[in-house]
Amino acid sequence: MFQLGSRGRGRGDARPSSARPTAPRPDWRNTVRGRVAVVAAAFAVWAAGIEAKLVYLQFIQRDWLVERAQSQQQRTIAAHPRRGDILDRAGRVLAYSVEASTVYAVPTKIDDPDATADALCRALGCSAEQRATIGARLSRNAEFVYVERQVSPAKARRVDDLGLPGVGFTTEPRRYYPNKELAAHLLGYVGIDHQGLAGIESTYDEVIRGEPGRVLIRTDARGSAFNRVEVPPESGAALELTIDKYLQHIAERELRAGIDEVGADAGAVVMLDPATGEVLAMASEPTFNPNVFALASPEARRNRAVQDVYEPGSTFKVVTASTALEERLVHRDEIFDVSAGYIRIAGDIIRDFRTTGPLSFIDVMVRSSNVGAIRVGLRIGPERFSERVRRFGFGQAFARDFPSESPGIVWDAADLNERALASLSMGYQIAVTPLQMAAAVAAIANGGNLIESRVVRAVRRAGEREEFGSRIIRPVVSRDTAAEMTAIMEAVAERGTARRARVPGYTVAGKTGTAEKLIDGRYSSTDHIASFVGFVPSRRPRLVILVMIDTPRATFVNGVRRRVYTGGAVAAPIFRRIAEASLRHLAVPRNVDPIPAALSSERSAPPGMAVSIPASTRQAGFPGAEAGRMPDVRGLSGREAIHALARLGLDVRVEGDGVVVAHDPEPGTVLVPGMVATARMSRHPDGGRGQGGS
């Protein structure tokens, strides 16, 4: 019997016993949804990664990326400003800036740094050390490096002719000093990065350096420049100094000649206008050329007039005498017994340079008596003496134009025992700078006021001129004391130790000084500082001049070598030569014997043959020019003498080198047309004649 249920089971019995039922076929819509979900999830992860990367780049690495992009797409080159000129008081240029070529390279554009460095060095003339430096620079991963800055035009042409890829030029100002060594210590010098390193260049660097500019060069992906933006630099202000170029030349010339004459180690000259405190000249030896300052030793670059200190010796007796007069402790005619020639102080014996009989107070100064000065100093006492020394400006650095000025060394009153007070009275146990000593004597010359010494007269900026006035620091002595000291210092020059400082036609007031140098804690008997300080004309002073010579040794007199070291023998003649030429340059009228006796010669020219003297020569202050006779041009340089005599219509011949020591015709000779003038010159115009006191 056939049964439905049995047939079904039987059909199922025909399949293997291990087979499972087949799952139902999934819906296609469920498959798409799953795929979308996977894709969406993947996209979300990808987007999150992108966002995270963007956040990382935009916030964490932003600065680095900006810097890298700028280094790849643009270069910024500094545009250095032109420094302001430095001028003398008459507007003559002492320092200015010129355009110089600078060689630079872009290392990222150089395929072979070594070959490029070799080629550059052949053109520039490099040393082995410089070659290594240039090679290292070209091997950097940088967009700009200097190869050599401020090269000469010849070097620039040689490099340009090479046509090296990645090597270019830019211009920058270079400081130039047209007068070379003239006023080198005053002017100072400028470094390779246009910063003032010394002197006025450093003191007024912010005023004269100007504001820098920049050049922005943009490049495309291939490194080709397609845009250039320039922000021009702003030039600095010009400085007008108080110094006179020609007075500076006279001071340097005579200082150098004086040092050579006595074989000294060094020296300094300071010339001031006592009425204003203006520095008219300031010279130091040895000197240097600021155009190549790196070749000079630090010793040569020192401005000895403001940086070096020394014991002034007898020139300091001006302060001793002024203090005693101001405090009314002595009077001019008071007699001091110095006949023993020495004085015993605290067990030490201090001697005079020469033994004399009793001396008046005036003659204590005229003869430069140490014993007399000590007696005066002991009468003053430590408190009053110390206070007056500081009033005169010692122990202080107050000149704004000389930030490197040494304040010197001054003892406190509490430390001035009897021995120290005796030393101070004659200019020992105190250290001063030449500028301080000149300023102190200028206070006597101007009637009693200490005036700040300055070397910058005005600043010129954008067509405007800002002038700096004089600054009186304080009065130091009364006008009566200053007048009395002037008369005493005149006597020193007229009949005392400073006779060789006398200037024909002018009254001179001054004081000599000779001090033993302190070496290894002991005073040397062979090494000295010789100095002289004075003013001229003494009654209406135009110039205060200090001369300091470090370690004079010897000179030749009539072919014989003789040791000279005193201020009267060494420094006073230099003062005279500087003063003579300077007064002539300034056309200062003579105040003694306006018509010298030499000009009253009976010699005369035939009637109608006298030479007419041009007004320009009469105004130049040459003695005898008013009388139609041969002027006195001794002390002038060859160029100055030729210029002066040529204006008279004379045919001038020069023999020798240095300064004029004699000439033919002699001063006072009546000049006739066609006359030939022969000027004999010497590097040692003083000839070493005579020897003064201390």
Side-chain angles (χ1 to χ4, degrees):
M1 176 177 227
F2 176 78
Q3 295 180 353
L4 178 62
S6 300
R7 189 176 55 242
R9 285 191 294 270
R11 202 187 286 122
D13 293 339
R15 287 179 297 185
S17 60
S18 61
R20 295 180 180 180
T22 303
R25 186 174 181 179
D27 187 77
W28 65 271
R29 288 174 297 180
N30 293 336
T31 303
V32 170
R33 186 179 297 111
R35 291 176 180 176
V36 169
V38 171
V39 171
F43 182 80
V45 172
W46 176 77
I50 293 294
E51 290 294 332
K53 185 65 173 179
L54 288 175
V55 169
Y56 177 75
L57 294 176
Q58 288 291 333
F59 293 96
I60 298 177
Q61 283 196 314
R62 179 183 182 281
D63 293 340
W64 178 80
L65 290 172
V66 169
E67 181 180 354
R68 186 175 181 184
Q70 288 179 342
S71 67
Q72 293 175 345
Q73 299 168 9
Q74 63 186 33
R75 296 197 305 272
T76 301
I77 302 175
H80 297 285
R82 185 180 185 276
R83 291 178 73 87
D85 296 344
I86 301 180
L87 317 169
D88 83 339
R89 66 188 299 116
R92 294 176 287 251
V93 177
L94 301 175
Y96 64 95
S97 295
V98 296
E99 292 296 327
S101 296
T102 288
V103 184
Y104 72 89
V106 182
T108 56
K109 294 185 178 181
I110 297 176
D111 296 330
D112 192 342
D114 288 336
T116 302
D118 289 339
L120 286 171
C121 282
R122 284 194 297 270
L124 297 173
C126 302
S127 64
E129 183 178 357
Q130 292 171 324
R131 163 62 181 83
T133 301
I134 292 175
R137 290 177 181 174
L138 299 185
S139 299
R140 297 176 188 170
N141 183 23
E143 295 296 322
F144 180 90
V145 295
Y146 284 116
V147 175
E148 185 171 335
R149 300 178 65 180
Q150 301 178 7
V151 299
S152 66
K155 287 184 177 181
R157 284 193 298 270
R158 290 198 295 268
V159 172
D160 190 39
D161 291 342
L162 295 174
L164 297 171
V167 176
F169 296 89
T170 186
T171 58
E172 57 181 332
R174 177 181 180 180
R175 205 57 163 169
Y176 182 62
Y177 304 90
N179 302 295
K180 298 181 180 179
E181 291 85 359
L182 188 78
H185 299 93
L186 265 179
L187 298 175
Y189 44 87
V190 175
I192 192 69
D193 290 315
H194 314 284
Q195 75 279 23
L197 299 179
I200 292 301
E201 295 277 21
S202 174
T203 305
Y204 286 84
D205 186 56
E206 292 186 2
V207 176
I208 60 180
R209 71 183 176 189
E211 293 296 329
R214 62 183 184 275
V215 179
L216 178 64
I217 301 175
R218 298 183 182 277
T219 59
D220 56 20
R222 297 181 179 180
S224 300
F226 67 88
N227 188 23
R228 179 186 178 98
V229 179
E230 294 189 23
V231 178
E234 181 180 340
S235 298
L239 291 184
E240 179 184 315
L241 304 188
T242 61
I243 70 167
D244 184 300
K245 174 181 175 180
Y246 293 109
L247 295 182
Q248 181 71 27
H249 169 69
I250 291 168
E252 293 184 8
R253 179 190 70 194
E254 299 303 338
L255 175 62
R256 189 176 304 113
I259 288 176
D260 291 344
E261 183 179 357
V262 296
D265 289 343
V269 168
V270 176
M271 184 188 300
L272 302 177
D273 182 337
T276 63
E278 292 181 340
V279 178
L280 301 177
M282 181 180 285
S284 293
E285 280 286 334
T287 187
F288 69 101
N289 184 348
N291 291 304
V292 287
F293 69 90
L295 301 180
S297 66
E299 190 73 9
R301 296 198 298 263
R302 288 182 61 81
N303 187 350
R304 298 175 181 274
V306 296
Q307 292 180 281
D308 284 6
V309 296
Y310 68 104
E311 290 180 297
S314 294
T315 56
F316 194 77
K317 291 174 184 175
V318 172
V319 178
T320 305
S322 299
T323 302
L325 290 171
E326 184 72 8
E327 299 289 343
R328 298 184 178 180
L329 299 173
V330 299
H331 58 81
R332 288 170 51 113
D333 299 324
E334 181 177 352
I335 300 301
F336 290 82
D337 184 8
V338 297
S339 55
Y342 69 91
I343 187 172
R344 189 181 298 274
I345 300 292
D348 293 335
I349 293 178
I350 302 174
R351 300 184 182 277
D352 269 338
F353 193 78
R354 295 185 180 87
T355 301
T356 66
L359 297 175
S360 67
F361 176 70
I362 293 178
D363 285 338
V364 166
M365 290 290 289
V366 170
R367 300 292 185 90
S368 197
S369 169
N370 291 333
V371 175
I374 290 172
R375 293 191 188 279
V376 173
L378 294 176
R379 187 179 299 183
I380 295 171
E383 288 79 15
R384 285 183 293 196
F385 208 164
S386 179
E387 191 274 337
R388 191 65 59 176
V389 165
R390 294 188 182 276
R391 286 193 69 81
F392 266 100
F394 300 108
Q396 307 155 58
F398 51 77
R400 291 169 294 178
D401 293 342
F402 302 102
S404 62
E405 178 188 11
S406 171
I409 302 173
V410 173
W411 288 36
D412 292 331
D415 298 324
L416 288 178
N417 55 29
E418 188 180 50
R419 182 66 179 85
L421 189 59
S423 296
L424 181 63
S425 302
M426 57 181 185
Y428 284 89
Q429 294 202 8
I430 181 172
V432 306
T433 67
L435 180 62
Q436 287 176 336
M437 196 69 232
V441 172
I444 301 297
N446 66 34
N449 291 318
L450 181 65
I451 301 179
E452 180 188 18
S453 301
R454 57 194 180 90
V455 74
V456 176
R457 195 181 195 190
V459 174
R460 298 181 182 182
R461 182 187 289 109
E464 297 182 356
R465 183 176 182 272
E466 178 188 357
E467 186 165 350
F468 301 150
S470 300
R471 183 171 72 96
I472 297 177
I473 298 173
R474 55 181 166 265
V476 293
V477 294
S478 67
R479 184 168 292 276
D480 289 342
T481 297
E484 200 160 3
M485 277 305 306
T486 296
I488 293 173
M489 295 170 70
E490 285 176 343
V492 174
E494 184 62 30
R495 57 185 179 86
T497 58
R499 290 188 297 274
R500 298 183 69 191
R502 292 178 295 186
V503 179
Y506 302 90
T507 55
V508 174
K511 187 69 188 76
T512 57
T514 307
E516 295 177 349
K517 290 181 66 174
L518 190 65
I519 301 177
D520 297 330
R522 299 178 63 87
Y523 284 102
S524 171
S525 61
T526 58
D527 293 353
H528 299 80
I529 297 291
S531 61
F532 179 86
V533 60
F535 47 95
V536 60
S538 58
R539 294 306 167 118
R540 288 188 177 180
R542 289 290 302 275
L543 303 173
V544 170
I545 303 173
L546 178 138
V547 179
M548 186 274 288
I549 303 298
D550 186 351
T551 319
R553 292 184 173 84
T555 189
F556 286 91
V557 180
N558 298 325
V560 178
R561 182 179 176 86
R562 188 176 68 187
R563 180 170 176 251
V564 293
Y565 61 90
T566 63
V570 174
I574 300 174
F575 168 91
R576 187 194 72 242
R577 296 196 294 266
I578 293 174
E580 276 187 307
S582 299
L583 292 169
R584 187 179 294 116
H585 169 70
L586 296 173
V588 178
R590 297 160 64 98
N591 67 337
V592 175
D593 298 331
I595 301 179
L599 300 185
S600 62
S601 172
E602 295 299 326
R603 292 176 293 179
S604 61
M609 292 294 289
V611 175
S612 176
I613 305 300
S616 59
T617 302
R618 292 198 301 271
Q619 294 169 358
F622 292 102
E626 300 86 351
R629 301 172 184 267
M630 179 69 177
D632 186 353
V633 296
R634 290 173 296 182
L636 295 182
S637 67
R639 179 178 298 177
E640 293 168 335
I642 291 173
H643 180 68
L645 297 179
R647 287 187 294 177
L648 305 180
L650 299 177
D651 182 10
V652 187
R653 299 176 183 176
V654 176
E655 297 177 356
D657 182 33
V659 299
V660 179
V661 295
H663 52 77
D664 183 24
E666 296 179 352
T669 302
V670 175
L671 300 178
V672 296
M675 183 176 286
V676 177
T678 302
R680 286 181 286 278
M681 307 176 66
S682 173
R683 289 286 294 173
H684 307 292
D686 214 45
R689 297 185 300 273
Q691 180 172 330
S694 61

